[in-house]
């Protein structure tokens, strides 16, 4: 019994990622303004491990512009449906005109090798940024204290697979979903995940096999 | 009352009176400025000549007639990237002729025929200006056998550049002319004696050597050039006058500082190539030269021509064998060419076994002029085929000097035996001076250095299993420790680089800002060595090898053609300590951004 702590440790390591954040933005102060939304997810300037990101469950009483495609780089999908980004090219961006209502909600799910199995040799992370603008050209940021760059919030994927959220918007709440969820729909679990679980389980069984009978 | 020829001279003098030789105090790195003026005159009852006018006639561009009398017509214009007339213009004052703005262009190529209203004297002219050349061509035609028609032209160029204060710069130019022409070129900076010039008159092709300019404390210098040409028809001066001045703006960037291998790349200006640039410079091509300036004894390198290099043999200088000596750590033996004349080194031959002896160059002349042709060599029996001229677009240099007798790290018994039983003194190193040069057309001799740097190496591993000076192979893995350290570039000291093995550089992802149109993130440098890293002033992060089109928006300057960021308020970094700096990239083509980080302990001058 005294070694049972190994099991959740191995499982948590093996099943790291995806990491999902639920985002809620109170846009009532700019309700009725036709502006724009920007989502981008880009690698760093050195060696970057593969990572992906989805914008899920986008919901708002505002109105998305109909004119699209809005994606640049490795982006697929169209709001309000799911957007899928990866960090394979230098600029992966989704930009859409939007007439603000009173609220916007969506989820940001990050997954891929950089989160589930950091390789220890990559030297750059990846960063997701969300911005809102009061103009359709995307030059006048709103609901953010970051007037220099205009980000409402950013999520950095760190080299150890963890994430760092930086929120510049008092109207925005970002909450990590509790627990570790399954991979997003359509994604393929990393082979390394299975391998790690298998190794952990085999190791645990072999270890327990060596224990004296009284300790089992 | 002046006669026709006297009036021409007066006009020319007035054109040439405003030649800038001083650097304006407020000057900054500028775009090029060009201007030209063409005057055609036909001898008539009222004479010709050039005169400023109170109410200038300015025709719609591109035919820019600024003054017209019955027997004379004057065309002039100026060009600058933003359309402004800069304060450092040379030649005529555009405002004198009603020109208040320039064409918004950084180059021009204009053909025109000017014809006088009376008598119909004319001249067919071509004027050009670009980053590599300015030229003037005039061909006057007389309306009759006894009516003299003359053409006079001027083309001016001026530009301000930046270079580290105290550095030295050489300017190669060449001129090609027919008929009656004159070229004057100057370069100046803001210090006493920091002025060089050269000129050329008459036909034929000539190289202009202005000598070396030292850059003053402003870190800026101005180059001005002026072409003057004249022709008459009929007359005793050649009826066609053309004069061209070719610039030679080559760029050299160094790579590998802090590693065992140093590389350099020489690039011609954009939209041209090496051979065109060489022609512009008046050379048959470009090459590299290297001298060994410091070599402690012993080392394992042996020259072929031992008798001719007695002054550099360790055995002769210090009574130690084997090896070659140079510099203060080599018994004050003189520096020597790398490879040395008379057959080079015993370890290095062409693939057919013949001696590799390109002295006074580092590579054979043909390797520098023939594009994409491998240079097959044997380094201690190991075949290597470096390409020096890459697609006529870049000229490469590479060296991995290896001194296995240097005590940078532990020496094995085998190595010690090759070193005659003992290591070189503590803290010893190899020292080099390397130049980028032109190969003169006439005799293949090297030009004055167009770019120069010095470096040392304490790498004590091997290359191809041996110690070398000219090292064309990569270092043998695990064979030793140490690295190259660049000590100066064009005469300006370079602060010491912290070898990449002592720091780990990581970066965040890059978030795009639609406000600033930049990709923003951070770079973190961590001291992974076991000792505290210190600097007398500040640490500098240099971003070498950024992709084309990508620039660092928050750069604090450039070093070695690369942007850098000064890390504020930090003079030491203890083991394990990190420092993070913000980076902001402009990346109009949305390219994947990559760079080679270099971390320096000291300020750039």
């Amino acid at each position: 019994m005294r070694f049972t702590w190994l099991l959740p440790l191995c499982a948590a390591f093996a099943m790291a990622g995806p990491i999902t954040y639920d985002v809620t933005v109170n846009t009532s102060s700019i309700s009725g303004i036709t502006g724009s939304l920007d989502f981008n997810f880009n690698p760093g300037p050195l060696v970057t491990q593969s990572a992906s990101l989805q914008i899920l469950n986008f919901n708002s009483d505002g109105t998305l512009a109909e004119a699209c495609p809005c994606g640049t780089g490795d982006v697929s999908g169209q709001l309000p449906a799911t957007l899928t980004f990866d960090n394979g090219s230098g600029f992966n961006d989704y930009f859409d005109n939007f007439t603000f209502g009173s609220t916007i909600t969506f989820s940001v799910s990050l997954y891929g090798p950089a989160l589930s199995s950091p390789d220890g040799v990559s030297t750059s992370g990846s960063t997701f940024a969300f911005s809102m603008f009061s103009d359709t050209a995307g030059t006048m940021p709103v609901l953010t204290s970051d007037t220099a760059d205009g980000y409402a919030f950013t999520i950095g994927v760190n080299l150890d697979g963890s994430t760092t959220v930086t929120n510049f918007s008092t109207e925005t709440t970002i909450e990590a979903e509790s627990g570790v969820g399954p991979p997003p729909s359509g994604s393929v679990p990393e082979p390394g995940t299975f391998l790690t679980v298998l190794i952990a389980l085999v190791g645990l069984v072999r270890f327990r096999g060596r224990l004296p009978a009284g300790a089992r | 009352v002046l006669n026709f020829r006297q009036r021409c001279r007066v006009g020319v003098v007035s054109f040439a009176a405003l030649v800038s030789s001083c650097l304006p105090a407020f000057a900054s790195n500028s775009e090029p400025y060009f201007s030209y003026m063409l005057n055609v005159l036909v001898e008539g009852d009222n004479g010709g000549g050039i005169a400023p006018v109170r109410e200038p006639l300015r025709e719609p561009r591109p035919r820019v007639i600024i003054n017209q009398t019955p027997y004379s017509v004057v065309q002039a214009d100026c060009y600058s990237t933003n359309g402004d007339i800069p304060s450092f213009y040379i030649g005529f004052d555009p405002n004198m002729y009603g020109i208040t703005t320039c064409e918004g262009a950084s180059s021009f190529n204009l053909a025109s025929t000017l014809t006088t209203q009376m008598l119909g004297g004319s001249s067919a002219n071509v004027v050009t200006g670009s980053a590599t050349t300015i030229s003037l061509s005039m061909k006057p035609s007389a309306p009759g056998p006894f009516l003299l028609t003359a053409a006079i032209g001027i083309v001016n160029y001026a530009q301000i550049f930046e270079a580290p204060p105290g550095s030295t710069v050489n300017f190669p130019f060449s001129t090609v002319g027919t008929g009656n022409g004159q070229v004057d070129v100057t370069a100046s900076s803001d210090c006493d004696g920091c002025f060089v010039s050269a000129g050329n008159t008459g036909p034929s092709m000539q190289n202009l050597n202005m000598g070396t300019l030292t850059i003053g404390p402003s870190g800026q210098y101005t180059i001005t050039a002026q072409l003057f040409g004249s022709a008459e028809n009929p007359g005793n001066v050649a009826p066609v006058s053309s004069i061209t001045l070719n610039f030679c703006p080559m760029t050299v960037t160094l790579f590998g500082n802090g590693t065992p291998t140093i590389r350099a790349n020489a690039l011609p200006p954009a939209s041209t190539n090496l051979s065109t640039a060489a022609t512009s410079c008046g050379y048959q091509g470009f090459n590299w030269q290297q001298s060994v300036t410091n070599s402690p004894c012993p080392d394992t390198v042996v020259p072929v021509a031992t008798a001719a290099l007695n002054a550099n043999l360790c055995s002769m200088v210090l009574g130690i064998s084997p090896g070659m000596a140079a510099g203060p750590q080599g018994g004050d033996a003189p520096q020597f060419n790398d490879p040395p004349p008379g057959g080079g080194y015993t370890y290095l031959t062409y693939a057919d076994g013949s001696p590799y002896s390109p002295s006074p160059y580092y590579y054979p002349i043909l390797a520098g002029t023939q594009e994409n042709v491998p240079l097959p060599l044997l380094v201690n029996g190991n075949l290597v085929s470096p390409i020096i001229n890459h697609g006529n677009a870049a000229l490469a240099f590479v060296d991995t000097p290896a001194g296995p007798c240097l005590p940078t790290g532990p020496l094995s018994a085998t190595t010690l035996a090759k070193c005659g039983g003992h290591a070189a003194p503590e803290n010893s190193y190899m020292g080099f001076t390397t130049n980028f040069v032109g190969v003169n057309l006439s005799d293949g001799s090297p030009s004055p250095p167009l770019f120069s740097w010095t470096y040392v190496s304490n790498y004590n591993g091997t290359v191809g299993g041996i110690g070398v000076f000219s090292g064309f192979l990569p270092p043998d893995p695990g064979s030793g420790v140490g690295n190259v350290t660049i000590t100066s570039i064009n005469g300006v000291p370079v602060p010491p680089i912290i070898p990449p093995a002592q720091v780990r550089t990581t970066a965040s992802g890059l978030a795009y800002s639609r406000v600033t149109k930049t990709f923003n993130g951070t770079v973190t440098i961590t001291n992974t060595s076991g000792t505290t890293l210190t600097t007398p002033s500040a640490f500098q992060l240099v971003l070498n090898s950024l992709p084309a089109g990508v620039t660092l928006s928050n750069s604090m300057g450039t070093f070695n053609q690369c942007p850098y960021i000064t890390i504020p308020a930090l003079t030491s970094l203890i083991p394990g300590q990190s420092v993070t700096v913000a980076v902001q990239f402009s990346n109009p083509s949305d390219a994947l951004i990559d760079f080679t980080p270099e971390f320096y302990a000291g300020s750039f001058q």
Side-chain angles (χ1 to χ4, degrees), chain A residues 38 40 42-46 72 88-91 93 95 122-127 129 133 138-139 141 147-151 159, chain B residues 504-520 522-523 583-585 587 590-597:
Chain A
D38 184 61
N40 66 75
N42 303 317
L46 298 172
T72 301
S89 61
F91 183 46
D93 181 81
F95 179 73
S122 294
T123 47
S124 277
S126 298
T127 297
F133 303 95
T139 60
T147 53
D149 295 316
Y151 309 130
L159 295 174
Chain B
R504 173 173 161 81
T505 305
T506 57
S508 71
L510 296 172
Y512 180 71
S513 167
R514 288 189 173 270
V515 178
T516 59
K517 313 294 185 198
T518 55
F519 291 80
N520 306 325
T522 59
V523 173
V583 289
Q584 188 176 39
F585 296 98
N587 180 17
D590 300 337
L592 270 171
I593 298 174
D594 189 17
F595 65 87
T596 302

Side-chain angles (χ1 to χ4, degrees), chain B residues 140-489:
Chain B
S141 298
F146 305 109
L147 292 169
L148 178 66
T149 297
I152 301 167
I154 292 177
V155 177
N156 300 305
Y157 156 81
Q159 192 167 3
I160 296 175
F161 297 90
E162 292 180 346
S167 63
T168 55
V169 189
N170 271 300
F171 306 94
F173 296 93
S174 68
T175 65
V176 184
T178 59
N180 188 26
Q182 178 175 329
V183 176
D184 292 296
V185 187
T186 69
S188 60
S189 191
D190 58 338
C191 48
D192 289 342
C194 297
F195 176 87
V196 291
S197 65
N200 180 29
T201 58
S204 79
M205 178 170 185
Q206 294 184 27
N207 291 345
L208 297 182
N209 183 5
M210 296 201 294
T212 301
L213 176 73
T214 301
I215 308 302
S218 69
Q220 296 174 332
Y221 62 95
T222 304
I223 298 180
T224 67
Q226 186 169 60
L227 305 183
F228 166 71
S230 64
E232 296 176 2
N233 188 2
N236 56 5
V237 180
V240 176
S241 173
S242 71
I243 185 80
T244 297
L245 172 67
N246 295 308
F247 307 144
C248 186
M250 297 289 290
T251 302
V252 177
T253 306
L254 305 178
F255 308 90
N257 195 11
T259 74
T261 300
I262 186 164
R263 298 177 182 276
N265 232 9
L267 301 175
S271 76
T272 184
N273 55 44
L274 285 173
S275 55
T276 300
T279 301
S280 290
C281 301
Y283 304 137
Q284 55 180 287
F286 298 101
N287 211 306
W288 307 92
Q289 284 188 298
Q290 182 160 274
S291 299
V292 178
T293 57
N294 191 68
S295 177
C297 296
D299 66 64
T300 60
V301 177
V302 178
V304 170
T306 51
L309 289 161
N310 271 346
N312 292 107
L313 297 180
C314 286
S315 57
M316 303 296 287
V317 177
L318 296 170
I320 298 172
S321 289
M324 298 183 71
Q329 294 184 339
D332 289 325
Q335 64 181 42
F336 58 89
N337 272 0
D338 180 23
Y345 302 113
T346 54
Y347 70 83
L348 181 60
T349 67
Y350 288 103
D352 63 5
S354 58
Y356 180 73
S357 188
S359 184
Y361 299 106
Y362 190 71
Y363 297 113
I365 292 175
L366 280 178
T369 55
Q370 295 181 334
E371 61 182 274
N372 297 329
V373 176
L375 178 63
L377 300 171
L378 290 174
V379 179
N380 192 31
N382 299 284
L383 180 64
V384 59
S385 299
I387 292 175
I388 314 307
N389 181 327
H390 290 265
N392 204 19
L395 197 75
F397 169 87
V398 62
D399 193 7
T400 309
C405 305
L406 299 175
T408 314
L411 273 62
S412 69
T414 305
T415 299
L416 274 176
K418 291 178 181 177
C419 298
H422 47 89
E426 286 296 318
N427 301 315
S428 54
Y429 55 85
M430 300 169 281
F432 302 86
T433 296
T434 312
N435 300 323
F436 174 65
V437 296
V439 180
N440 284 319
L441 273 169
S442 56
D443 57 1
S445 62
S447 75
L450 306 178
F451 184 92
S452 180
W453 74 94
T454 59
Y455 69 98
V456 298
S457 176
N458 62 357
Y459 173 63
N460 75 342
T462 56
V463 164
I466 56 170
V468 298
F469 288 133
S470 301
F472 299 123
L473 286 168
D476 296 331
S479 63
V481 296
N483 55 271
V484 158
T485 300
I486 296 171
T487 50
S488 73
I489 296 177

